[in-house]
Amino acid sequence: MFDYVTFTWNMEFALEILPQLLRAAWITLQATVGGFAIAVIIGLVFALLRRGPRIVSWPTTFVIEFVRSTPLLVQLYVLYFILPLYGVSLSAFVTGVIGLGLHYGAYLSEVYRAGIEHVGRGQWEAAIALNFDRRRTWTHIVLPQALPPMLPMFGNYFIVMFKETPLLSAITVVELLQTAKIIGSRTFNYVEPYTLVGLIFLALSYPAALVVNRLEARFARQRQ
Amino acid sequence: MRANASESTVHASTAPSSGATDDRDPIVRFEKVTKRFGDLTVLDQLNFEVAYNEKIAIIGPSGSGKTTILRVLMTLVEPQEGVVWVDGQPLWHREVRGKLVRANEDHLREVRQNIGMVFQHFNLFPHMSVLRNITEAPIHVLGRSRSEAEEQALQLLDQVGLGDKTHQYPSQLSGGQKQRVAIARALAMKPKVMLFDEVTSALDPELVGEVLGILRDLARDTDMAMLIVTHEMQFARDVADRVVFFDAGRVEEEGRPEKIFSEPENPRTQSFLKAVLEH
Amino acid sequence: MGFDLLPLLLRGAGITIQLTLVSAAVALFMALLAGLGRLSPFRAVRFLAGTYVEVFRGTSVLVQLFWFYFALPLFGIRLDAFTAGVLALGLNVGAYGAETVRGSILSVPRGQIEAGIALNFSAAQRMRRIVLPLALVMMLPPFGNNLIELLKATALVSLITIPEMTFEGYSLQMTTGRTNEIFMWLLVLYFAIAYPLTLGVRAIERRVSAFLRA
């Protein structure tokens, strides 16, 4: 296992590949934002469906549990290989974004559910007493109260999704990890590409996590 | 006829407390104790004494600092200024060559041995049975043998009326039962001073009586000094040798219960009692 | 229906479960080590533990996996795929677990500690007899969830050619072209392992909340 342990780092090479990696980082970010947008919408849809009649809520719950109990990688493969068989041909990037969005939409539906339930019964009853219709009850009373405390959780999931984008490399999306793989196999220098990718992730996710923590603290204080 | 002072037993074989003041040194003395939390001064140069065997009820509005007195005495919070004396020894300080310096953990534990506390929210250990809750400290802090500790625990549980609950867990008990176990747990350490921090405030009304009953028995049968922070005015009237009305960090008025409850002199005392007794 | 594919997939399932269990052991060890380390009174220990946690939480597990398998050899440390996989997964999940450990210890109710002080336990006794037992109970549900995440993460090591379930599925569909059946079975098998675990964790969660309401 150990030949000779040495520390190798070629700074010149690292700086040379950095621009390429940063461009790939941009692809990664786009995938994250796209996936997150889809997840936010699907999450809400799932959460609302689960409040419906049993004939709708049970299949929804089943889908959510199924998506959450199976690996994202396998779900990506399914979308990538099986969709074309039914005539749906999308780019790898779009397929990946949809896969990401579906998977985390299932998780976000749980966040929505908790947030909505957190809005006390009394609010619903006050809305009825004031004769609000169902739609306005949601848009003017329930959602505005449910959403702010959910923000830190959303922030967390955004960061999680950002760190999961490398899975898209398995379906040939050229994001950060795939770019590092390409550089590595071209030059046989694996250290600099993979280390830089790791550092880029760290440099982006760590400050983001600090911001989310700050948000969380602010909401914890408010709740008191 | 006073009970032997060297040990505080639940069953005193001699005359119960008569409330007469003892001319020994006070068992607890606060000397110019100040406690601040940030900008808020909760205890302000407090001078306060508790006599041996004295039962004191501390009443007052919330935020007045009455709980803080207990917490300083139980070493849960440290005062910024002043000295707290327990049975002739400084609590937060120790004497080094005639001067008082900040106490270390060992000294704190030595003096703390004299004090016990029952909390508003019981704080029973959920991962231990009722029996173990009561025996754990005697075994691991006082060094008693398991059989000795268990024998004492069973005795105490009988006294608080829970002899049949030895192997149950706290989550299986009602609030009143939990508090009675908490009292037994504190008594097992045989403290000279027992602190009760609003011990019935978290209980459903119908369970308050059973706990107050135990406190009445303790006041009558033991020669521990008892410091009882409470909102139960009738109870305070019945049980206390002295009632202390505490407000904004200082003792506003104190005296025998008959006097305080019937003819309070201080206007703050008057308005507090009026608000509390007439709602 | 593709029942003939099952034996091959199940062979991969055996490796998946092995990977999960070994990585879980590594993760548990690291979680306790780093979690307690973050609470150490020594600044250097806190710093080391903190760095480990932030680095492994802040970067992607797949990137870590590739780094251990491809970059480490260039430092002279050559790991076989299984070891690289277990190490990457264990260290990654262990970092999340460390936060759970730290959080659980810190969220033991203050009242419990005060009761310990009132009974004159020493600080070490309080830690050993009151804080740690309670913290360990509180850690069970999140650790259970970590285990399930670990199970799903094992699929990633297929990308460094470890023959676990996803790898078997992927190569099978390459050779036989029976994409639909294979992926359906793959999903069903993961679900069959993960969902009962999920139900188990939820049951533990309920027991733990009831237990702590003392």
Side-chain angles (χ1 to χ4, degrees), chain C residues 140-174:
Chain C
L140 287 177
F143 274 6
N145 283 322
N146 283 351
L147 185 65
I148 298 171
E149 292 303 312
L150 202 46
L151 171 70
K152 292 188 287 171
T154 56
L156 297 176
V157 307
S158 66
L159 298 172
I160 58 172
T161 71
I162 297 179
E164 45 69 72
M165 214 158 49
T166 304
F167 181 84
E168 295 283 10
Y170 189 88
S171 26
L172 258 167
Q173 68 84 37
M174 292 245 88

mmCIF file of all heavy atoms in Angstrom, chain C residues 140-174:
data_model
loop_
_atom_site.group_PDB
_atom_site.id
_atom_site.type_symbol
_atom_site.label_atom_id
_atom_site.label_comp_id
_atom_site.label_asym_id
_atom_site.label_seq_id
_atom_site.Cartn_x
_atom_site.Cartn_y
_atom_site.Cartn_z
ATOM 1 N N LEU C 140 -29.197 8.310 18.791
ATOM 2 C CA LEU C 140 -29.629 7.141 18.023
ATOM 3 C C LEU C 140 -30.427 7.464 16.759
ATOM 4 O O LEU C 140 -30.101 6.947 15.691
ATOM 5 C CB LEU C 140 -30.420 6.186 18.923
ATOM 6 C CG LEU C 140 -29.581 5.419 19.936
ATOM 7 C CD1 LEU C 140 -30.477 4.561 20.814
ATOM 8 C CD2 LEU C 140 -28.546 4.554 19.248
ATOM 9 N N PRO C 141 -31.467 8.309 16.841
ATOM 10 C CA PRO C 141 -32.205 8.568 15.594
ATOM 11 C C PRO C 141 -31.349 9.205 14.495
ATOM 12 O O PRO C 141 -31.381 8.712 13.361
ATOM 13 C CB PRO C 141 -33.338 9.500 16.058
ATOM 14 C CG PRO C 141 -33.474 9.272 17.513
ATOM 15 C CD PRO C 141 -32.088 8.963 18.001
ATOM 16 N N PRO C 142 -30.587 10.269 14.784
ATOM 17 C CA PRO C 142 -29.773 10.819 13.689
ATOM 18 C C PRO C 142 -28.759 9.811 13.162
ATOM 19 O O PRO C 142 -28.499 9.773 11.955
ATOM 20 C CB PRO C 142 -29.048 12.011 14.323
ATOM 21 C CG PRO C 142 -29.666 12.261 15.620
ATOM 22 C CD PRO C 142 -30.441 11.075 16.026
ATOM 23 N N PHE C 143 -28.172 8.992 14.044
ATOM 24 C CA PHE C 143 -27.232 7.981 13.566
ATOM 25 C C PHE C 143 -27.944 6.984 12.661
ATOM 26 O O PHE C 143 -27.400 6.522 11.660
ATOM 27 C CB PHE C 143 -26.582 7.258 14.755
ATOM 28 C CG PHE C 143 -25.377 7.957 15.308
ATOM 29 C CD1 PHE C 143 -25.004 9.201 14.840
ATOM 30 C CD2 PHE C 143 -24.614 7.373 16.305
ATOM 31 C CE1 PHE C 143 -23.898 9.862 15.355
ATOM 32 C CE2 PHE C 143 -23.502 8.033 16.830
ATOM 33 C CZ PHE C 143 -23.149 9.261 16.354
ATOM 34 N N GLY C 144 -29.167 6.659 13.025
ATOM 35 C CA GLY C 144 -29.948 5.764 12.172
ATOM 36 C C GLY C 144 -30.125 6.353 10.785
ATOM 37 O O GLY C 144 -29.963 5.668 9.768
ATOM 38 N N ASN C 145 -30.420 7.644 10.741
ATOM 39 C CA ASN C 145 -30.558 8.307 9.445
ATOM 40 C C ASN C 145 -29.240 8.325 8.686
ATOM 41 O O ASN C 145 -29.199 8.140 7.470
ATOM 42 C CB ASN C 145 -31.062 9.744 9.637
ATOM 43 C CG ASN C 145 -32.542 9.772 9.934
ATOM 44 O OD1 ASN C 145 -33.306 8.988 9.376
ATOM 45 N ND2 ASN C 145 -32.952 10.653 10.821
ATOM 46 N N ASN C 146 -28.147 8.539 9.417
ATOM 47 C CA ASN C 146 -26.836 8.507 8.764
ATOM 48 C C ASN C 146 -26.559 7.157 8.131
ATOM 49 O O ASN C 146 -25.954 7.066 7.062
ATOM 50 C CB ASN C 146 -25.729 8.809 9.798
ATOM 51 C CG ASN C 146 -25.645 10.282 10.114
ATOM 52 O OD1 ASN C 146 -26.277 11.092 9.462
ATOM 53 N ND2 ASN C 146 -24.880 10.631 11.120
ATOM 54 N N LEU C 147 -27.012 6.107 8.819
ATOM 55 C CA LEU C 147 -26.797 4.766 8.289
ATOM 56 C C LEU C 147 -27.513 4.599 6.950
ATOM 57 O O LEU C 147 -26.972 4.026 5.997
ATOM 58 C CB LEU C 147 -27.300 3.720 9.289
ATOM 59 C CG LEU C 147 -27.044 2.266 8.919
ATOM 60 C CD1 LEU C 147 -25.550 1.979 8.903
ATOM 61 C CD2 LEU C 147 -27.752 1.331 9.889
ATOM 62 N N ILE C 148 -28.719 5.111 6.880
ATOM 63 C CA ILE C 148 -29.483 4.998 5.640
ATOM 64 C C ILE C 148 -28.810 5.807 4.529
ATOM 65 O O ILE C 148 -28.717 5.357 3.378
ATOM 66 C CB ILE C 148 -30.936 5.464 5.860
ATOM 67 C CG1 ILE C 148 -31.602 4.562 6.903
ATOM 68 C CG2 ILE C 148 -31.712 5.439 4.567
ATOM 69 C CD1 ILE C 148 -32.939 5.033 7.358
ATOM 70 N N GLU C 149 -28.330 7.009 4.870
ATOM 71 C CA GLU C 149 -27.616 7.805 3.868
ATOM 72 C C GLU C 149 -26.375 7.060 3.392
ATOM 73 O O GLU C 149 -26.015 7.092 2.208
ATOM 74 C CB GLU C 149 -27.193 9.157 4.460
ATOM 75 C CG GLU C 149 -28.342 10.092 4.770
ATOM 76 C CD GLU C 149 -29.212 10.390 3.558
ATOM 77 O OE1 GLU C 149 -28.662 10.710 2.488
ATOM 78 O OE2 GLU C 149 -30.441 10.277 3.674
ATOM 79 N N LEU C 150 -25.709 6.385 4.327
ATOM 80 C CA LEU C 150 -24.508 5.624 3.994
ATOM 81 C C LEU C 150 -24.843 4.516 3.005
ATOM 82 O O LEU C 150 -24.146 4.305 2.014
ATOM 83 C CB LEU C 150 -23.931 5.026 5.279
ATOM 84 C CG LEU C 150 -22.475 4.626 5.332
ATOM 85 C CD1 LEU C 150 -21.589 5.698 4.749
ATOM 86 C CD2 LEU C 150 -22.091 4.346 6.767
ATOM 87 N N LEU C 151 -25.948 3.841 3.273
ATOM 88 C CA LEU C 151 -26.369 2.768 2.373
ATOM 89 C C LEU C 151 -26.535 3.305 0.953
ATOM 90 O O LEU C 151 -26.063 2.709 -0.019
ATOM 91 C CB LEU C 151 -27.690 2.172 2.879
ATOM 92 C CG LEU C 151 -28.373 1.189 1.942
ATOM 93 C CD1 LEU C 151 -27.575 -0.096 1.872
ATOM 94 C CD2 LEU C 151 -29.785 0.895 2.401
ATOM 95 N N LYS C 152 -27.203 4.447 0.840
ATOM 96 C CA LYS C 152 -27.414 4.996 -0.502
ATOM 97 C C LYS C 152 -26.100 5.469 -1.111
ATOM 98 O O LYS C 152 -25.897 5.395 -2.324
ATOM 99 C CB LYS C 152 -28.420 6.143 -0.438
ATOM 100 C CG LYS C 152 -29.814 5.662 -0.097
ATOM 101 C CD LYS C 152 -30.846 6.751 -0.227
ATOM 102 C CE LYS C 152 -30.732 7.740 0.903
ATOM 103 N NZ LYS C 152 -31.576 8.932 0.689
ATOM 104 N N ALA C 153 -25.199 5.959 -0.265
ATOM 105 C CA ALA C 153 -23.937 6.470 -0.792
ATOM 106 C C ALA C 153 -23.047 5.361 -1.338
ATOM 107 O O ALA C 153 -22.180 5.620 -2.172
ATOM 108 C CB ALA C 153 -23.196 7.252 0.300
ATOM 109 N N THR C 154 -23.264 4.118 -0.880
ATOM 110 C CA THR C 154 -22.419 3.036 -1.395
ATOM 111 C C THR C 154 -22.564 2.886 -2.900
ATOM 112 O O THR C 154 -21.672 2.379 -3.573
ATOM 113 C CB THR C 154 -22.753 1.673 -0.746
ATOM 114 O OG1 THR C 154 -24.136 1.400 -0.939
ATOM 115 C CG2 THR C 154 -22.414 1.666 0.719
ATOM 116 N N ALA C 155 -23.681 3.358 -3.437
ATOM 117 C CA ALA C 155 -23.857 3.268 -4.890
ATOM 118 C C ALA C 155 -22.748 4.023 -5.617
ATOM 119 O O ALA C 155 -22.362 3.662 -6.733
ATOM 120 C CB ALA C 155 -25.219 3.829 -5.278
ATOM 121 N N LEU C 156 -22.211 5.054 -4.968
ATOM 122 C CA LEU C 156 -21.197 5.872 -5.624
ATOM 123 C C LEU C 156 -19.907 5.104 -5.878
ATOM 124 O O LEU C 156 -19.191 5.384 -6.838
ATOM 125 C CB LEU C 156 -20.895 7.110 -4.769
ATOM 126 C CG LEU C 156 -22.059 8.066 -4.569
ATOM 127 C CD1 LEU C 156 -21.655 9.192 -3.642
ATOM 128 C CD2 LEU C 156 -22.498 8.619 -5.907
ATOM 129 N N VAL C 157 -19.606 4.133 -5.003
ATOM 130 C CA VAL C 157 -18.328 3.451 -5.194
ATOM 131 C C VAL C 157 -18.338 2.573 -6.439
ATOM 132 O O VAL C 157 -17.301 2.049 -6.848
ATOM 133 C CB VAL C 157 -17.910 2.635 -3.932
ATOM 134 C CG1 VAL C 157 -17.937 3.526 -2.725
ATOM 135 C CG2 VAL C 157 -18.752 1.416 -3.747
ATOM 136 N N SER C 158 -19.517 2.433 -7.045
ATOM 137 C CA SER C 158 -19.558 1.721 -8.323
ATOM 138 C C SER C 158 -18.707 2.474 -9.344
ATOM 139 O O SER C 158 -18.182 1.877 -10.292
ATOM 140 C CB SER C 158 -20.999 1.627 -8.825
ATOM 141 O OG SER C 158 -21.496 2.912 -9.130
ATOM 142 N N LEU C 159 -18.569 3.772 -9.125
ATOM 143 C CA LEU C 159 -17.813 4.581 -10.074
ATOM 144 C C LEU C 159 -16.308 4.363 -9.957
ATOM 145 O O LEU C 159 -15.550 4.831 -10.798
ATOM 146 C CB LEU C 159 -18.152 6.070 -9.880
ATOM 147 C CG LEU C 159 -19.626 6.400 -10.144
ATOM 148 C CD1 LEU C 159 -19.938 7.828 -9.745
ATOM 149 C CD2 LEU C 159 -19.966 6.170 -11.601
ATOM 150 N N ILE C 160 -15.853 3.710 -8.878
ATOM 151 C CA ILE C 160 -14.456 3.293 -8.867
ATOM 152 C C ILE C 160 -14.384 1.773 -8.906
ATOM 153 O O ILE C 160 -13.503 1.154 -8.330
ATOM 154 C CB ILE C 160 -13.648 3.880 -7.687
ATOM 155 C CG1 ILE C 160 -14.276 3.498 -6.332
ATOM 156 C CG2 ILE C 160 -13.520 5.377 -7.804
ATOM 157 C CD1 ILE C 160 -13.363 3.906 -5.177
ATOM 158 N N THR C 161 -15.335 1.231 -9.595
ATOM 159 C CA THR C 161 -15.383 -0.187 -10.004
ATOM 160 C C THR C 161 -15.446 -1.198 -8.872
ATOM 161 O O THR C 161 -15.000 -2.313 -9.017
ATOM 162 C CB THR C 161 -14.202 -0.555 -10.926
ATOM 163 O OG1 THR C 161 -13.007 -0.579 -10.142
ATOM 164 C CG2 THR C 161 -14.074 0.412 -12.068
ATOM 165 N N ILE C 162 -15.999 -0.823 -7.740
ATOM 166 C CA ILE C 162 -16.245 -1.835 -6.724
ATOM 167 C C ILE C 162 -17.527 -2.564 -7.115
ATOM 168 O O ILE C 162 -18.535 -1.931 -7.426
ATOM 169 C CB ILE C 162 -16.411 -1.190 -5.330
ATOM 170 C CG1 ILE C 162 -15.111 -0.493 -4.943
ATOM 171 C CG2 ILE C 162 -16.757 -2.254 -4.294
ATOM 172 C CD1 ILE C 162 -15.176 0.188 -3.599
ATOM 173 N N PRO C 163 -17.525 -3.899 -7.118
ATOM 174 C CA PRO C 163 -18.683 -4.629 -7.652
ATOM 175 C C PRO C 163 -19.868 -4.715 -6.710
ATOM 176 O O PRO C 163 -20.355 -5.808 -6.401
ATOM 177 C CB PRO C 163 -18.099 -6.020 -7.921
ATOM 178 C CG PRO C 163 -17.008 -6.161 -6.923
ATOM 179 C CD PRO C 163 -16.412 -4.795 -6.750
ATOM 180 N N GLU C 164 -20.322 -3.536 -6.225
ATOM 181 C CA GLU C 164 -21.522 -3.591 -5.390
ATOM 182 C C GLU C 164 -22.742 -3.578 -6.312
ATOM 183 O O GLU C 164 -22.622 -3.746 -7.522
ATOM 184 C CB GLU C 164 -21.541 -2.467 -4.350
ATOM 185 C CG GLU C 164 -21.169 -1.095 -4.823
ATOM 186 C CD GLU C 164 -22.207 -0.518 -5.755
ATOM 187 O OE1 GLU C 164 -23.292 -0.162 -5.275
ATOM 188 O OE2 GLU C 164 -21.914 -0.454 -6.962
ATOM 189 N N MET C 165 -23.905 -3.335 -5.723
ATOM 190 C CA MET C 165 -25.153 -3.549 -6.454
ATOM 191 C C MET C 165 -25.296 -2.672 -7.700
ATOM 192 O O MET C 165 -25.684 -3.147 -8.768
ATOM 193 C CB MET C 165 -26.333 -3.303 -5.499
ATOM 194 C CG MET C 165 -27.497 -4.201 -5.807
ATOM 195 S SD MET C 165 -28.648 -4.437 -4.442
ATOM 196 C CE MET C 165 -28.983 -2.803 -3.875
ATOM 197 N N THR C 166 -24.999 -1.384 -7.563
ATOM 198 C CA THR C 166 -25.183 -0.490 -8.706
ATOM 199 C C THR C 166 -24.213 -0.840 -9.821
ATOM 200 O O THR C 166 -24.550 -0.790 -10.998
ATOM 201 C CB THR C 166 -24.978 0.976 -8.280
ATOM 202 O OG1 THR C 166 -25.863 1.262 -7.201
ATOM 203 C CG2 THR C 166 -25.256 1.916 -9.421
ATOM 204 N N PHE C 167 -22.997 -1.219 -9.444
ATOM 205 C CA PHE C 167 -22.015 -1.605 -10.449
ATOM 206 C C PHE C 167 -22.509 -2.818 -11.226
ATOM 207 O O PHE C 167 -22.437 -2.864 -12.457
ATOM 208 C CB PHE C 167 -20.679 -1.908 -9.765
ATOM 209 C CG PHE C 167 -19.588 -2.285 -10.715
ATOM 210 C CD1 PHE C 167 -18.857 -1.300 -11.357
ATOM 211 C CD2 PHE C 167 -19.298 -3.620 -10.977
ATOM 212 C CE1 PHE C 167 -17.846 -1.635 -12.242
ATOM 213 C CE2 PHE C 167 -18.284 -3.965 -11.862
ATOM 214 C CZ PHE C 167 -17.559 -2.974 -12.498
ATOM 215 N N GLU C 168 -23.011 -3.805 -10.487
ATOM 216 C CA GLU C 168 -23.533 -5.004 -11.146
ATOM 217 C C GLU C 168 -24.667 -4.628 -12.093
ATOM 218 O O GLU C 168 -24.731 -5.081 -13.234
ATOM 219 C CB GLU C 168 -24.056 -6.003 -10.098
ATOM 220 C CG GLU C 168 -23.003 -6.574 -9.189
ATOM 221 C CD GLU C 168 -22.171 -7.659 -9.847
ATOM 222 O OE1 GLU C 168 -22.278 -7.845 -11.080
ATOM 223 O OE2 GLU C 168 -21.411 -8.323 -9.133
ATOM 224 N N GLY C 169 -25.553 -3.766 -11.595
ATOM 225 C CA GLY C 169 -26.684 -3.354 -12.422
ATOM 226 C C GLY C 169 -26.230 -2.649 -13.681
ATOM 227 O O GLY C 169 -26.695 -2.929 -14.791
ATOM 228 N N TYR C 170 -25.297 -1.739 -13.485
ATOM 229 C CA TYR C 170 -24.818 -0.951 -14.622
ATOM 230 C C TYR C 170 -24.144 -1.835 -15.665
ATOM 231 O O TYR C 170 -24.451 -1.748 -16.870
ATOM 232 C CB TYR C 170 -23.851 0.125 -14.111
ATOM 233 C CG TYR C 170 -23.460 1.132 -15.158
ATOM 234 C CD1 TYR C 170 -24.234 2.275 -15.354
ATOM 235 C CD2 TYR C 170 -22.327 0.949 -15.953
ATOM 236 C CE1 TYR C 170 -23.884 3.210 -16.306
ATOM 237 C CE2 TYR C 170 -21.976 1.882 -16.915
ATOM 238 C CZ TYR C 170 -22.752 3.011 -17.089
ATOM 239 O OH TYR C 170 -22.413 3.934 -18.038
ATOM 240 N N SER C 171 -23.240 -2.699 -15.214
ATOM 241 C CA SER C 171 -22.549 -3.536 -16.211
ATOM 242 C C SER C 171 -23.503 -4.540 -16.845
ATOM 243 O O SER C 171 -23.387 -4.857 -18.024
ATOM 244 C CB SER C 171 -21.325 -4.248 -15.626
ATOM 245 O OG SER C 171 -21.449 -4.442 -14.273
ATOM 246 N N LEU C 172 -24.483 -5.002 -16.069
ATOM 247 C CA LEU C 172 -25.472 -5.913 -16.635
ATOM 248 C C LEU C 172 -26.254 -5.259 -17.758
ATOM 249 O O LEU C 172 -26.502 -5.873 -18.801
ATOM 250 C CB LEU C 172 -26.467 -6.352 -15.554
ATOM 251 C CG LEU C 172 -26.217 -7.744 -14.991
ATOM 252 C CD1 LEU C 172 -27.044 -7.944 -13.747
ATOM 253 C CD2 LEU C 172 -26.622 -8.784 -16.032
ATOM 254 N N GLN C 173 -26.652 -4.006 -17.530
ATOM 255 C CA GLN C 173 -27.468 -3.397 -18.584
ATOM 256 C C GLN C 173 -26.606 -3.049 -19.784
ATOM 257 O O GLN C 173 -27.097 -2.967 -20.912
ATOM 258 C CB GLN C 173 -28.299 -2.214 -18.078
ATOM 259 C CG GLN C 173 -27.607 -0.955 -17.661
ATOM 260 C CD GLN C 173 -27.290 0.005 -18.767
ATOM 261 O OE1 GLN C 173 -28.062 0.175 -19.714
ATOM 262 N NE2 GLN C 173 -26.154 0.644 -18.652
ATOM 263 N N MET C 174 -25.306 -2.897 -19.558
ATOM 264 C CA MET C 174 -24.417 -2.699 -20.693
ATOM 265 C C MET C 174 -24.322 -3.968 -21.522
ATOM 266 O O MET C 174 -24.340 -3.936 -22.752
ATOM 267 C CB MET C 174 -22.997 -2.330 -20.207
ATOM 268 C CG MET C 174 -22.896 -0.992 -19.555
ATOM 269 S SD MET C 174 -21.863 0.146 -20.479
ATOM 270 C CE MET C 174 -23.047 0.842 -21.580
#
